[in-house]
Amino acid sequence: MEELVRQLKALADPSRLRVAHLLSRGELTVSELVHILGQSQPRVSRHLKLLTDANLAERMPEGAFVFYRLTGQGAGKRLAALISEFVPDSDPSFRRDLERLEAVKAARAAEAQAYFDRASSDWETIRSLHLSEDEVEAAILAAAGQGPFDLIVDVGVGTGRMLEVFADRAARGVGVDVNHAMLNLARLNLEKAGIKHFFVREANVTALPFADRSADLVTVHQVLHYLDDPASAITECARVLKPGGILLIADFAPHQLEYLRSEHAHRRLGFSDAEMGDWVDAAGLDLTRRIALHPEEPAGRLTVKIWAATKSERAAEPGTRTKQQKQEENP
C-alpha cells in the first residue's frame, strides 16, 4: 500500500507525469529530457529521482551518459503502462513534448547512421567472407530452440540484430555492449522494429550486470574473436544462466586470414571445437550441439561455427566445483 501511495504521489506532479509519458515512448537521457521539457537540469534530475525512488523508472548508466526508462518489473510496470492511455492527446504541453521528442530521436538517429556509415565497410567485408546472414540466423534459431524464454541476454549487442531475431521468443531481452555509439544504433533499430520489451545497456562481458542464474538464453554472436580472454567471457556468461539455460556462441572456425587481425582488430583467427569444448566444460556447461556452416567456395572464405551449451542442474548447485577447479585442487 505504501509503495502504491508513493507512486501515485510521484505521478501527481504535472512535470513528472510529462516525464513518465515521455519515458513510455522510449529511453531518454537527462539532457534529452531537459531539451524536451525546457526545464533546468537539476529540476529534471529531481523529477527522475522521485520516479526511480517510487519504482516507476529505472536508471541505466552508459559511459558519460545516463539513460532512464519506465520500470520493467513489479506493480510499477503495470501502473506505468497505463500512463499513455490516460494522457489527453489534445493537451498542448503533451503535444509539444512529443514534437520535441521526435526531434531528439531524429538527432540520435542521425548520429547512429553516421557511425553505421563509418563502420559498415568493415562489416560488409566480413559478411562477404561467409554464408548469408539469413542462413546463419536460421541456424542460430534452430540451435536455441523454440523457447519461450523469460530473459535473453545478448553479449556484444552490435546493431541489435540478435535481439530482433529473438524478439518473438522471449518476454524480456537485454543487449550489452561497451560502445556507446553501437548501443545507440541498437536502440534505434529496436525502436524502428517496434520492439518495446527488449533494451540495451552498457556493460563489459567480463562483468555482466545480471544476477547469478537469471537468464534462460545468452547469445554471443561474432564477439569472442575480438577478446583477449574468451574463456573468461564464457565463464561470466555461464554464471548468469539458469539451470537448463543455454549459451549460444556463433563465431568462426580456425582460419588463416591474417589481415582480419591486422586490419579488422580480430585477436583470434577462429576457434576449434576442442578449445571451445574445454572452455564451456570449465565454465560448468555441457556442450550439446555443434553446427558448421561452410561457404560454397571455401578458398579464402570463412566457416561459421555455432556452439550450444547447456547449464546442468549440478553446475548450478552452490558449492559445485567445475572440472577446472578440481584439476587445480588435484594437480
Side-chain angles (χ1 to χ4, degrees), residues 140-141 143-144 166 217-221 246-250 306-309:
I140 288 173
L141 285 170
F166 282 98
L217 175 67
V218 177
T219 57
V220 188
H221 178 253
I246 300 169
L247 172 62
L248 205 57
I249 300 170
I306 298 170
W307 296 273

Side-chain angles (χ1 to χ4, degrees), residues 27-265:
E27 302 171 356
L28 293 166
T29 65
V30 174
S31 60
E32 289 171 338
L33 285 166
V34 166
H35 174 77
I36 294 169
L37 297 171
Q39 298 181 5
S40 67
Q41 186 271 328
R43 187 176 180 187
V44 170
S45 296
R46 173 64 176 166
H47 292 322
L48 289 166
K49 183 179 187 308
L50 290 171
L51 289 171
T52 53
D53 288 347
N55 294 323
L56 288 169
E58 295 177 328
R59 183 179 185 273
M60 297 174 295
E62 190 172 297
F65 300 84
V66 177
F67 279 84
Y68 287 84
R69 66 179 173 93
L70 292 185
T71 186
Q73 298 183 48
K77 176 184 178 181
R78 296 193 294 274
L79 181 59
L82 295 173
I83 292 171
S84 290
E85 295 183 26
F86 291 100
V87 167
D89 294 333
S90 58
D91 186 283
S93 296
F94 289 110
R95 191 166 60 246
R96 184 173 60 251
D97 287 348
L98 293 181
E99 290 172 355
R100 292 177 177 173
L101 174 62
E102 289 308 309
V104 164
K105 287 188 174 183
R108 190 192 293 174
E111 179 184 348
Q113 186 62 49
Y115 176 81
F116 180 82
D117 290 342
R118 292 193 300 271
S120 61
S121 60
D122 283 349
W123 297 339
E124 290 303 324
T125 297
I126 304 303
R127 289 193 187 105
S128 69
L129 296 174
H130 59 75
L131 291 180
S132 72
E133 292 295 332
D134 288 344
E135 292 175 278
V136 174
E137 290 170 6
I140 288 173
L141 285 170
Q146 290 298 316
F149 306 103
D150 178 33
L151 174 63
I152 288 179
V153 175
D154 182 40
V155 174
V157 69
T159 65
R161 181 57 190 165
M162 279 295 101
L163 293 181
E164 292 185 58
V165 167
F166 282 98
D168 62 348
R169 297 195 184 187
R172 297 178 294 144
V174 181
V176 301
D177 209 297
V178 294
N179 187 308
H180 172 70
M182 191 65 82
L183 287 168
N184 257 347
L185 181 58
R187 188 177 284 114
L188 174 65
N189 287 336
L190 291 175
E191 288 182 3
K192 285 181 178 178
I195 299 172
K196 297 183 178 181
H197 59 303
F198 281 11
F199 305 95
V200 298
R201 62 184 301 184
E202 184 185 39
N204 193 296
V205 65
T206 59
L208 296 174
F210 305 101
D212 295 356
R213 302 188 292 277
S214 58
D216 302 280
L217 175 67
V218 177
T219 57
V220 188
H221 178 253
Q222 301 295 359
V223 171
L224 290 186
H225 59 251
Y226 290 110
L227 304 182
D228 288 322
D229 189 359
S232 294
I234 290 173
T235 298
E236 178 65 359
C237 290
R239 177 188 66 79
V240 305
L241 277 176
K242 293 178 181 177
I246 300 169
L247 172 62
L248 205 57
I249 300 170
D251 220 293
F252 299 124
H255 61 85
Q256 301 300 318
L257 303 184
E258 187 65 37
Y259 75 91
L260 293 181
R261 195 197 310 270
S262 59
E263 298 178 20
H264 298 276

